């Protein structure tokens, strides 16, 4: 049996950021991750960070490379009916922006810091079980390198993603869950070619949604709407480019093609559990909520949760007050629901549902015309996109 202050399950962006507590507040923790370090460090995921979240990473001492290599964006484009319209995010939000910096890079930076700080982070931890959550001595049992271990904690941070064990360890009847499945997914590619647009392009098209984004000045990231269970074998690179070319086509503009380095299918769902806490277990990130990727809120929400949790834990260890821990769930959920609505709204406005009729299509086009012509409507999109400070 070993002891720590905070037991962290999962080493995705949420868990790794909780791990940064030591650097800022002197709080010690042990991280337990089911996968290998290599696997965790190479997952290709989202890549757009709200300015406020970038600031949190900098303040946490893990933002050096992000500040050097992140690409600051001041606008995005919405394309529909053969035209591309720019939403000037910064002009509409008093100068706020978003930063393009891959989640893969965030994770690499966080792992580097964590290992440098010297607190344990165990990869390939098997059979992790959160226990005694309703007591003031919760425990994590697990197996590592063939041996059984037990870790006694003050609190447990459940950062083990949507399929993790933490949410599942909360007794039946405690949580209320809300969800929506979408009848489509995204087929994403990472391509070794300079992005053809300096700013993101979200395209509404009769063949389905497409998105042009980027990871760097040499790497493009592109997505096409597909079926949620799409078989990648049916998508040789030529077919993907053909589909991207037709959905992103614009008079006088060319989409440059390049070698495809990676491809995968992402499902789309909305999901929230309430509350995000049970006893001494605090859920953060994908363990508590999922958004569809349109609007890129997943990573941002995860890091915001962890910020609220870190402040609450720091306050508790400093003063003994549980006030911030007690409001953790309600504080996070206000932002979560705002992001749930925004992501659902962006998704509904831009995708082609299999059962959509002409009426649905006209509503989408009207909404797109509205957000690209009315300053009030564009401002609403922009302030949600860059991340609201108060929700
Ligand atoms: N024991 C230990 N670790 C586990 C277990 C388990 N039983 N189950 C899952 N994990 C690990 C996963 O292997 C993963 O590394 O928990 C981690 C969860 O990480 P993420 O899924 O990345 O979730 P989170 O840190 O909340 O980050 C949310 O990542 O999924 C994207 O788009 C999403 O951007 C969002 C962000
Ligand atoms: C990405 O860069 O992967 C990305 C950007 C914006 C989105 C979704 C994904 O809305």
């Amino acid at each position: 049996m070993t002891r720590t202050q905070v037991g962290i399950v999962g080493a995705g962006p949420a868990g790794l950021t909780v791990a940064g507590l030591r650097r800022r507040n002197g709080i010690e923790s042990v991280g337990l991750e089911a996968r290998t370090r290599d696997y965790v460090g190479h997952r290709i995921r989202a890549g757009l960070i709200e300015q406020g979240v970038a600031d949190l990473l900098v303040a946490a001492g893990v933002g050096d490379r992000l500040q050097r290599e992140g690409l600051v964006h001041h606008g995005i484009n919405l394309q529909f009916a053969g035209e591309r319209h720019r939403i000037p995010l910064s002009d509409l939000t008093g100068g706020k922006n978003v930063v393009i910096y891959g989640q893969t890079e965030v994770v690499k930076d966080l792992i580097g810091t964590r290992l440098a700080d010297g607190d344990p982070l165990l990869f390939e931890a098997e059979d992790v079980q959160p226990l005694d959550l309703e007591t003031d001595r919760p425990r994590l049992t697990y197996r590592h390198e063939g041996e059984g271990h037990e870790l006694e904690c003050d609190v447990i941070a459940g950062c083990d993603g949507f399929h993790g064990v933490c949410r599942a360890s909360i007794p039946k009847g405690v949580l209320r869950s809300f969800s929506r499945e979408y009848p489509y997914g995204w087929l994403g590619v990472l391509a070794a070619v300079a992005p053809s647009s300096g700013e993101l392009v979200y395209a509404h098209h009769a063949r389905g949604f497409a998105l042009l984004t980027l990871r760097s000045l040499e790497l493009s990231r592109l997505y096409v709407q597909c079926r949620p269970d799409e078989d990648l074998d049916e998508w040789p690179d030529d077919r993907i480019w053909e589909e991207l070319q037709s959905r992103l086509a614009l008079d006088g503009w060319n989409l440059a093609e390049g070698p495809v380095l990676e491809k995968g299918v992402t499902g789309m769902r909305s999901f929230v559990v309430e509350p995000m806490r049970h006893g001494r277990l605090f859920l953060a990130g994908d363990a508590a909520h999922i958004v569809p990727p349109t609007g890129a809120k997943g990573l941002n929400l995860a890091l915001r949760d962890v910020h609220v949790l870190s402040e609450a834990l720091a306050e508790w260890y400093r003063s003994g007050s549980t006030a911030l821990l007690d409001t953790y769930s309600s504080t996070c959920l206000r932002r979560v629901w705002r992001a749930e609505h925004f992501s659902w709204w962006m998704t509904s406005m831009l995708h082609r549902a299999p059962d959509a009729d002409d009426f649905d299509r006209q509503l989408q086009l009207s909404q797109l015309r509205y957000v690209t012509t009315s300053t009030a409507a564009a401002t609403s999109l922009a302030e949600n996109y860059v991340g609201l400070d108060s929700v």
Side-chain angles (χ1 to χ4, degrees):
M1 162 99 84
T2 43
R3 244 203 82 68
T4 189
Q5 291 179 303
V6 183
I8 306 167
V9 187
L16 287 167
T17 308
V18 180
L21 272 169
R22 155 81 94 196
R23 184 162 285 217
R24 289 203 70 195
N25 301 304
I27 297 169
E28 61 180 59
S29 63
V30 173
L32 302 176
E33 163 61 47
R35 304 286 196 148
T36 63
R37 178 176 175 183
D38 195 51
Y39 180 91
V40 170
H42 289 95
R43 269 186 297 214
I44 310 259
R45 295 264 189 82
L48 189 136
I49 299 179
E50 296 167 359
Q51 184 184 342
V53 172
D55 292 346
L56 293 178
L57 289 168
V58 171
V62 283
D64 287 356
R65 206 157 63 90
L66 178 143
Q67 280 181 307
R68 273 201 314 276
E69 297 175 20
L71 301 171
V72 175
H73 280 208
H74 299 285
I76 55 165
N77 299 285
L78 295 181
Q79 182 169 321
F80 58 96
E83 288 179 7
R84 191 171 288 177
H85 302 260
R86 181 169 189 267
I87 307 278
L89 298 174
S90 299
D91 294 349
L92 294 168
T93 58
K96 287 211 220 157
N97 58 50
V98 292
V99 184
I100 290 285
Y101 188 69
Q103 182 167 323
T104 324
E105 306 309 315
V106 174
V107 165
K108 269 187 217 153
D109 297 345
L110 288 167
I111 293 181
T113 315
R114 169 74 186 192
L115 295 176
D117 287 354
D119 279 334
L121 170 56
L122 307 182
F123 291 95
E124 298 177 79
E126 294 167 58
D127 209 5
V128 175
Q129 296 295 334
L131 299 166
D132 301 337
L133 303 177
E134 288 145 35
T135 72
D136 57 9
R137 282 280 172 273
R139 290 178 294 135
L140 288 167
T141 58
Y142 62 97
R143 297 189 64 75
H144 191 243
E145 293 175 345
E147 276 179 40
H149 298 268
E150 192 171 326
L151 178 67
E152 196 183 76
C153 317
D154 293 335
V155 296
I156 295 173
C159 305
D160 49 352
F162 183 66
H163 300 287
V165 67
C166 289
R167 190 178 71 248
S169 70
I170 297 175
K172 273 204 170 37
V174 170
L175 299 178
R176 184 157 177 220
S177 65
F178 305 82
S179 66
R180 174 114 339 152
E181 302 269 344
Y182 300 86
Y184 28 77
W186 282 12
L187 194 162
V189 296
L190 188 67
V193 59
S196 299
S197 165
E199 292 180 338
L200 276 63
V201 181
Y202 288 83
H204 175 279
H205 192 274
R207 298 181 64 83
F209 171 73
L211 170 62
L212 184 165
T213 169
L214 58 151
R215 284 294 172 275
S216 68
L217 297 175
E218 298 84 37
L219 277 180
S220 300
R221 178 84 170 141
L222 300 128
Y223 300 95
V224 285
Q225 176 187 341
C226 61
R227 291 196 319 269
D229 57 349
E230 195 75 53
D231 182 358
L232 268 181
D233 291 343
E234 289 173 22
W235 287 85
D237 297 354
D238 286 355
R239 182 176 171 207
I240 298 175
W241 286 115
E242 215 174 284
E243 208 52 51
L244 285 164
Q245 292 288 3
S246 67
R247 298 186 194 188
L248 289 165
L250 185 72
D251 278 349
W253 177 83
N254 278 318
L255 173 65
E257 300 184 10
V260 170
L261 306 177
E262 197 263 356
K263 57 182 157 183
V265 172
T266 319
M268 316 258 288
R269 87 166 81 223
S270 300
F271 174 80
V272 182
V273 286
E274 293 190 4
M276 289 170 56
R277 168 194 189 171
H278 178 62
R280 291 280 180 112
L281 169 65
F282 294 83
L283 300 175
D286 280 14
H289 43 73
I290 300 282
V291 286
T294 331
K297 289 293 169 215
L299 172 61
N300 290 295
L301 278 183
L303 297 182
R304 298 260 191 188
D305 287 351
V306 169
H307 177 66
V308 177
L309 183 59
S310 302
E311 298 284 298
L313 287 169
E315 171 71 16
W316 182 47
Y317 280 116
R318 195 167 46 231
S319 71
S321 163
T322 61
L324 294 180
L325 286 174
D326 293 341
T327 51
Y328 168 74
S329 176
S330 56
T331 302
C332 291
L333 283 166
R334 286 171 68 89
R335 176 177 296 282
V336 167
W337 277 113
R338 180 84 302 276
E340 289 290 343
H341 179 271
F342 178 66
S343 310
W344 163 85
W345 175 74
M346 286 281 280
T347 301
S348 316
M349 178 170 70
L350 289 162
H351 289 72
R352 199 185 87 129
D355 59 353
D357 58 15
D358 287 348
F359 183 81
D360 296 307
R361 205 172 124 70
Q362 292 299 342
L363 290 182
Q364 288 182 318
L365 290 170
S366 172
Q367 184 65 26
L368 283 161
R369 276 194 300 273
Y370 183 46
V371 292
T372 51
T373 51
S374 152
T375 305
T379 305
S380 169
L381 188 154
E383 68 180 5
N384 278 280
Y385 198 92
V386 301
L388 286 157
D389 282 334
S390 58
V391 276

